[in-house]
Amino acid sequence: MNLRNIKTILYILLSVVLMNCKPAGSSISTNTTNFNLNWKFTLANDSIALASSPDFDDESWRTLNLPHDWAVESEFDSTLVNDAKATGYLASKGFGYYRKNFNKEVSDNEVTYVLFDGVYNNSEVWINGKKLGFHPYGYSPFYFNLTPFLNKNGKNNVLTVKIDHTRYADSRWYTGAGIYRDVQLITANKLHIPIWGTFVTTPQVSREKALVNVQISIKNDFSSEENMSVKTVILDKNNVEVAAVNSDLKIEANSLKDIIQNIEIINPNLWDVNNPNLYKAVISIVKEGKEINVNNTTFGIRSIKFDANKGFFLNGENMKIKGVCLHHDAGLVGTAVPKGVWKRKLQILKDGGCNAIRISHNPASNEFLDLCDEMGFLVQDEFFDEWDNPKDKRFNQNESKSTDYITRGYGEHFQEWAQKDLEAVMLSHRNHPSIFQWSIGNEIEWTYPRNAAATGFFNNMDWNGNYFWSEPPHSVEEIKHQLATLPKEKYDIGETAQKLSKWVKALDTTRPVTANLILPSASHLSGYADALDVVGYSYRRVLYDYGHKNYPDKPIMGTENLAQYHEWKSIMERPHISGTFLWTGIDYMGEIRDAWPVRVQPSGLLTTAGFAKGSYHMMKTLWNPEPHIYIATQNIEKSLNKLDEKGNIVAKDPKKWEHALWEWQDVNEHWNYNSGELISVEIYSNCDEIELFLNEKSLGLKKLADFEDHIYKWGVPFVDGNLVAKGKKDGKEIVSEIITAKKAAKIELSSEEKVLKANNTDVAHIIVQLTDENGNPAKTDDREITFEVNGNAKLLGVDNGWKKSVQKFQSNKNTTHNGRTLLIIQALDKKGEIEVLAHSKDLPTKSIIIKIE
């Protein structure tokens, strides 16, 4: 065996060791410890005196594992009324206290840090009674050096975190409350790569060769000058060494030094949305022949480019961004989301053709970004929803109501904390190849009154247009005049945008800066758009041509748009529009506009349980080239359709589809109606033609080209039986059917996850589907299901996904909706079998076995 092979094997073994550590985003250091287990927790109405003292008695507190969201454990409560419409009727008010007792021996040559990926919010941290600091923002990561305050004998150290969530309506959506993201304990030699101390970029990329630029910070906490070598080895996805470089250097005492290493990789495997190839940079500090610190940074080799005329290019190939916006809650788990929960939902979106995620309106967790790296999603990472001025949390644009205590949000911290939070997010996230845009803000303009007034959209009695479908009532020249003459305010939106953009570019110039503009006609002239490399339009597809004509050098794309055919049609017709992010990929709690018991903003392609809606299937027909057929039905009176005088089914309003907004039309996915009742059958498909059959009798062949709204339509008098659609696309034939079901007679359980690891993390999604005696899905007969979980697993909760379901998530009971519901269990730390049983009155009990290895 030659020397190179021996070196390769050693680095593979090293990589395996490192991969068994819990990653800190895409970069991990030696001795990184999962710090999520065995915390004590209590929720109090008032501050608890002396809770930070190491001698405080917390024996009566709950023991739990992190991540943890105490808000999702609550009952839905209608008495919270408008104060909780923003956050989804879940009570979260109070002071949350977390304490962890741990042993940690640290030698004189070592340092120890604690790293929090996200704590919501207004948190204070103590170690052994010594206050380490305050951190207000709930979405930015932060860390503290524990070394000077650890007990000398290494025994019984106590870390305390206090969270003040008395401002429980401080955001426009469900925030959760608690230490809801991962925590890590990191120990390193005093000569080490600090947290977030690596930055890997790929300034030159082709299929034949790539130049990899590795920026490394070296921290010397010794009181003496140190000599060392820094070695970087690049491993491919099979952990095979593909390149290496070594640098010798000297670093002064108690100092930080940055170095750059350039590495050439021949015939690289590029990262893209279809082949998300990843590499690892294993960076070692060697002193006197001994390896004293190792950092493992995951990265991808790819190039990105936005062109004002041609749109977006990934690795030199022109493509459309098929994106969705996502909030950070995930249904029954709230914001403490296990990786497997996100993985299931992201895979469903991926199967629908989605290739991009906008994290709205706050930075993502590193674990979420790891998934996007691994699965092939482009990510727009967004920093803030508020800047200098507050937003109304109860209903947009009523900012005068945001001055009360419970709705005071990040705006009150922005002046002091914005730069610190932005930089922490970027340093933590910048090695993720999935991130292709940094967004500095979301729909900020209306919080600066002169910008809103300049457009003429609001408070203009002479204008009869519609915000969504009309160009600005004021001309470009008039908007310029208004901005020049309206009274100046304390803060200027353009100046703030320039400041934020400057901070971004100081840390990263490899990705464009963008923002989601709700009033782009003003922002192009206020200095706001000048700070952006790519200008995002929010619900303003009507301005795509206006923007390109008036500002031809600015790349434009949709960054918040409707999940409707008209949105995508307008993008496909315009090469200069790079793509879109639809609002939203998944229903999210909060921002409620309907009356109780609606608990979510129901604009998602998927429900909170991850069940697909009609809009998902519509977008799948547009985004995924594979043939797809989805049959939707509705009583003709309740539908958007009618029979014309010739007996043909047509839209009641032929142009309604052009102005459809957030929520998809009310349709069903069953074939259960009254005999003879006239049913509107809608089929969402990308097939060129479809023939519909009822009980093997043809109801006619139709072509997609004949339907302007991209929806096949039939009017069918109801008869029990099978409704079958047979379609053709590019010579391929596919079939889809729905069948009349009798009453529920059985419970069927299914799970894609058959085997879990005994790691306190892995999850299984168990889907309940009621069926009739013949095994047909019973979608009109709902039952209460009681679950029993036997074995070494935790029941995380239940959710049927219905927007009006206010059944408690943290429960073993749930009533199905459309004959279906979801249960999630999480493996604990012992091997064995988990049996989940589902009981319901008058139905046979059903069980499923999940193995834990």
Side-chain angles (χ1 to χ4, degrees):
M1 184 178 290
N2 63 36
L3 180 61
R4 182 178 177 86
N5 287 338
I6 293 172
K7 287 163 58 183
T8 298
I9 290 171
L10 288 173
Y11 275 101
I12 290 173
L13 292 172
L14 173 61
S15 179
V16 169
V17 171
L18 289 168
M19 285 189 293
N20 285 330
C21 297
K22 186 70 173 177
S26 59
S27 180
I28 46 181
S29 297
T30 316
N31 297 327
T32 298
T33 304
N34 181 328
F35 214 48
N36 289 335
L37 304 180
N38 299 316
W39 287 70
K40 289 286 192 175
F41 169 76
T42 194
L43 181 62
N45 292 325
D46 300 297
S47 291
I48 300 175
L50 303 178
S52 61
S53 169
D55 299 324
F56 182 84
D57 184 3
D58 58 17
E59 188 63 29
S60 63
W61 293 12
R62 286 171 57 189
T63 300
L64 51 77
N65 295 339
L66 305 178
H68 174 242
D69 174 4
W70 81 67
V72 79
E73 299 172 344
S74 305
E75 302 269 0
F76 289 98
D77 186 354
S78 63
T79 66
L80 297 173
V81 202
N82 288 334
D83 289 343
K85 265 193 169 184
T87 54
Y89 295 111
L90 287 174
S92 60
K93 180 180 179 180
F95 294 89
Y97 285 87
Y98 295 83
R99 284 167 55 93
K100 183 172 176 64
N101 188 297
F102 64 101
N103 298 329
K104 183 62 182 177
E105 292 186 8
V106 181
S107 74
D108 292 339
N109 293 334
E110 291 180 322
V111 289
T112 295
Y113 299 90
V114 63
L115 171 62
F116 297 90
D117 199 38
V119 180
Y120 207 89
N121 63 347
N122 294 313
S123 58
E124 297 173 83
V125 182
W126 292 263
I127 180 70
N128 295 329
K130 171 66 177 179
K131 186 172 181 178
L132 297 172
F134 168 66
H135 191 80
Y137 198 31
Y139 301 109
S140 58
F142 60 100
Y143 63 90
F144 297 108
N145 185 350
L146 304 182
T147 315
F149 314 111
L150 294 173
N151 292 330
K152 299 303 180 184
N153 63 4
K155 304 294 185 182
N156 297 319
N157 295 287
V158 179
L159 187 69
T160 305
V161 180
K162 173 187 176 184
I163 296 168
D164 179 356
H165 202 239
T166 52
R167 300 175 180 88
Y168 61 93
D170 64 346
S171 191
R172 298 183 300 131
W173 56 83
Y174 177 82
T175 63
I179 307 179
Y180 72 102
R181 294 180 180 174
D182 285 332
V183 183
Q184 292 156 339
L185 194 70
I186 300 170
T187 299
N189 188 279
K190 285 187 175 181
L191 186 62
H192 64 283
I193 299 169
I195 293 172
W196 312 329
T198 64
F199 185 26
V200 182
T201 58
T202 53
Q204 297 177 24
V205 175
S206 71
R207 300 285 175 183
E208 294 73 35
K209 184 172 63 176
L211 178 65
V212 178
N213 179 287
V214 184
Q215 300 178 39
I216 307 166
S217 296
I218 311 294
K219 196 170 192 297
N220 180 14
D221 284 336
F222 287 107
S223 57
S224 58
E225 183 181 77
E226 298 293 329
N227 295 301
M228 79 204 75
S229 63
V230 179
K231 182 171 185 178
T232 298
V233 175
I234 305 298
L235 305 177
D236 68 11
K237 62 183 178 181
N238 298 314
N239 287 320
V240 174
E241 179 184 329
V242 296
V245 66
N246 190 73
S247 304
D248 294 324
L249 68 148
K250 182 182 296 183
I251 183 170
E252 296 178 355
N254 298 308
S255 66
L256 185 71
K257 187 169 187 175
D258 295 330
I259 67 167
I260 294 177
Q261 296 177 327
N262 290 307
I263 305 173
E264 192 175 85
I265 296 179
I266 304 300
N267 299 321
N269 295 313
L270 303 187
W271 185 97
D272 64 35
V273 296
N274 297 315
N275 298 287
N277 297 299
L278 296 172
Y279 288 85
K280 293 184 184 70
V282 181
I283 306 169
S284 307
I285 297 178
V286 179
K287 177 182 174 183
E288 297 176 352
K290 182 180 180 182
E291 194 174 71
I292 61 171
N293 186 252
V294 180
N295 177 287
N296 189 22
T297 297
T298 303
F299 68 98
I301 298 174
R302 52 100 179 109
S303 67
I304 54 178
K305 176 187 173 183
F306 284 86
D307 185 276
N309 295 308
K310 298 178 182 179
F312 175 65
F313 294 79
L314 180 62
N315 299 327
E317 296 183 9
N318 189 224
M319 61 175 283
K320 292 291 189 184
I321 296 162
K322 304 170 182 176
V324 297
C325 302
L326 289 182
H327 274 289
H328 74 145
D329 68 298
L332 66 90
V333 295
T335 59
V337 189
K339 189 175 183 179
V341 171
W342 275 130
K343 186 173 183 178
R344 169 181 173 257
K345 292 184 176 182
L346 288 176
Q347 187 61 57
I348 295 169
L349 292 170
K350 189 82 173 179
D351 293 343
C354 176
N355 63 20
I357 305 294
R358 172 177 172 238
I359 311 299
S360 47
H361 305 290
N362 45 261
S365 70
N366 267 298
E367 193 166 62
F368 182 91
L369 294 170
D370 287 341
L371 270 175
C372 292
D373 294 342
E374 296 160 11
M375 298 178 71
F377 285 97
L378 297 163
V379 172
Q380 182 190 108
D381 210 6
E382 193 156 75
F383 298 124
F384 306 119
D385 188 52
E386 286 185 326
W387 288 358
D388 302 302
N389 303 315
K391 284 186 177 179
D392 170 55
K393 310 308 188 300
R394 299 181 178 92
F395 203 90
N396 293 345
Q397 300 182 48
N398 293 321
E399 271 61 48
S400 62
K401 297 181 181 178
S402 284
T403 56
D404 58 337
Y405 180 80
I406 64 169
T407 60
R408 284 162 52 191
Y410 186 68
E412 68 178 1
H413 300 291
F414 182 81
Q415 306 305 322
E416 179 183 355
W417 283 88
Q419 183 173 5
K420 289 179 278 191
D421 287 323
L422 180 149
E423 290 177 349
V425 170
M426 290 189 64
L427 292 170
S428 176
H429 291 182
R430 61 185 178 173
N431 288 312
H432 290 283
S434 55
I435 297 176
F436 80 130
Q437 293 176 321
W438 299 112
S439 172
I440 58 175
N442 168 64
E443 295 184 348
I444 297 293
E445 295 101 317
W446 80 64
T447 65
Y448 297 80
R450 64 192 296 271
N451 291 270
T455 64
F457 277 121
F458 309 118
N459 302 317
N460 183 355
M461 296 182 66
D462 296 327
W463 184 59
N464 296 314
N466 181 288
Y467 169 80
F468 288 93
W469 320 121
S470 303
E471 289 195 4
H474 289 169
S475 66
V476 170
E477 291 305 317
E478 178 61 21
I479 295 171
K480 285 182 182 178
H481 173 72
Q482 292 286 337
L483 289 172
T485 57
L486 286 167
K488 298 288 185 180
E489 299 160 5
K490 182 178 180 180
Y491 300 109
D492 180 84
I493 193 172
E495 292 175 1
T496 298
Q498 292 285 354
K499 178 173 62 177
L500 292 169
S501 181
K502 180 180 177 181
W503 293 340
V504 173
K505 291 176 184 292
L507 292 179
D508 182 15
T509 57
T510 70
R511 299 172 174 95
V513 175
T514 189
N516 186 43
L517 306 185
I518 193 72
L519 294 172
S521 54
S523 293
H524 274 293
L525 298 167
S526 67
Y528 188 175
D530 294 339
L532 308 178
D533 303 304
V534 178
V535 182
Y537 282 17
S538 185
Y539 305 110
R540 299 301 281 139
R541 70 167 175 81
V542 71
L543 291 190
Y544 288 161
D545 295 333
Y546 167 101
H548 190 53
K549 174 185 175 182
N550 290 298
Y551 312 99
D553 297 329
K554 277 290 185 183
I556 295 169
M557 67 173 292
T559 41
E560 188 167 321
N561 298 96
L562 305 156
Q564 301 286 349
Y565 171 59
H566 63 76
E567 288 278 18
W568 190 244
K569 181 174 182 290
S570 69
I571 290 167
M572 291 304 296
E573 293 170 346
R574 293 167 174 82
H576 63 279
I577 301 300
S578 299
T580 185
F581 291 99
L582 303 179
W583 193 262
T584 55
I586 305 170
D587 288 349
Y588 62 96
M589 291 189 287
E591 206 166 3
I592 297 165
R593 298 292 177 257
D594 297 317
W596 170 271
V598 172
R599 62 177 171 87
V600 297
Q601 218 299 326
S603 58
L605 303 181
L606 308 178
T607 69
T608 51
F611 300 145
K613 302 185 196 177
S615 54
Y616 171 86
H617 293 282
M618 170 57 81
M619 298 315 299
K620 184 173 182 177
T621 71
L622 301 171
W623 285 357
N624 190 325
E626 290 300 311
H628 182 62
I629 291 176
Y630 175 77
I631 305 172
T633 65
Q634 186 54 278
N635 173 284
I636 194 78
E637 285 79 18
K638 294 180 181 179
S639 78
L640 299 182
N641 305 314
K642 66 177 182 179
L643 295 184
D644 65 14
E645 61 275 6
K646 296 180 181 180
N648 298 316
I649 188 166
V650 296
K652 293 173 183 174
D653 179 354
K655 297 298 181 182
K656 185 176 179 64
W657 69 273
E658 296 180 352
H659 297 145
L661 292 173
W662 288 279
E663 193 169 2
W664 195 252
Q665 58 255 39
D666 181 15
V667 290
N668 303 311
E669 55 181 7
H670 62 72
W671 189 240
N672 278 71
Y673 295 94
N674 297 319
S675 181
E677 187 177 4
L678 185 59
I679 304 303
S680 166
V681 177
E682 294 184 350
I683 295 182
Y684 315 141
S685 180
N686 52 9
C687 289
D688 303 313
E689 62 182 38
I690 290 178
E691 188 171 9
L692 189 65
F693 296 84
L694 178 57
N695 297 331
E696 301 184 355
K697 178 182 177 182
S698 176
L699 302 179
L701 176 73
K702 299 190 179 186
K703 295 184 181 297
L704 184 59
D706 294 332
F707 295 96
E708 188 181 22
D709 60 359
H710 206 76
I711 298 175
Y712 285 96
K713 302 175 188 66
W714 279 265
V716 183
F718 177 76
V719 177
D720 278 11
N722 294 27
L723 193 65
V724 178
K726 298 181 179 180
K728 291 183 181 179
K729 182 179 187 289
D730 301 328
K732 293 182 180 179
E733 297 185 2
I734 61 167
V735 177
S736 181
E737 68 175 345
I738 53 177
I739 302 173
T740 304
K742 297 179 171 58
K743 284 194 171 185
K746 301 176 185 177
I747 301 170
E748 296 297 333
L749 301 179
S750 63
S751 175
E752 291 184 3
E753 302 98 348
K754 304 294 192 298
V755 179
L756 307 179
K757 294 179 181 178
N759 57 7
N760 292 296
T761 302
D762 277 11
V763 296
H765 296 80
I766 298 168
I767 296 174
V768 173
Q769 176 65 64
L770 301 178
T771 67
D772 67 11
E773 57 191 15
N774 297 316
N776 299 316
K779 299 180 180 180
T780 59
D781 184 15
D782 290 310
R783 305 294 181 90
E784 183 179 78
I785 309 293
T786 300
F787 296 97
E788 181 183 344
V789 179
N790 297 318
N792 198 45
K794 176 184 178 182
L795 191 157
L796 292 183
V798 287
D799 181 17
N800 65 22
W802 188 32
K803 67 180 182 180
K804 293 185 178 181
S805 173
V806 288
Q807 300 171 85
K808 194 175 190 292
F809 284 139
Q810 310 292 304
S811 172
N812 70 330
K813 293 184 179 181
N814 191 255
T815 301
T816 61
H817 178 64
N818 295 333
R820 187 169 53 179
T821 193
L822 170 72
L823 168 86
I824 303 180
I825 60 171
Q826 185 171 51
L828 297 179
D829 57 357
K830 294 180 182 177
K831 298 178 182 179
E833 285 189 345
I834 305 301
E835 183 182 31
V836 178
L837 298 97
H839 311 281
S840 187
K841 184 179 179 182
D842 300 328
L843 298 181
T845 294
K846 186 73 173 183
S847 68
I848 188 172
I849 299 294
I850 305 293
K851 292 184 179 180
I852 300 183
E853 296 180 349

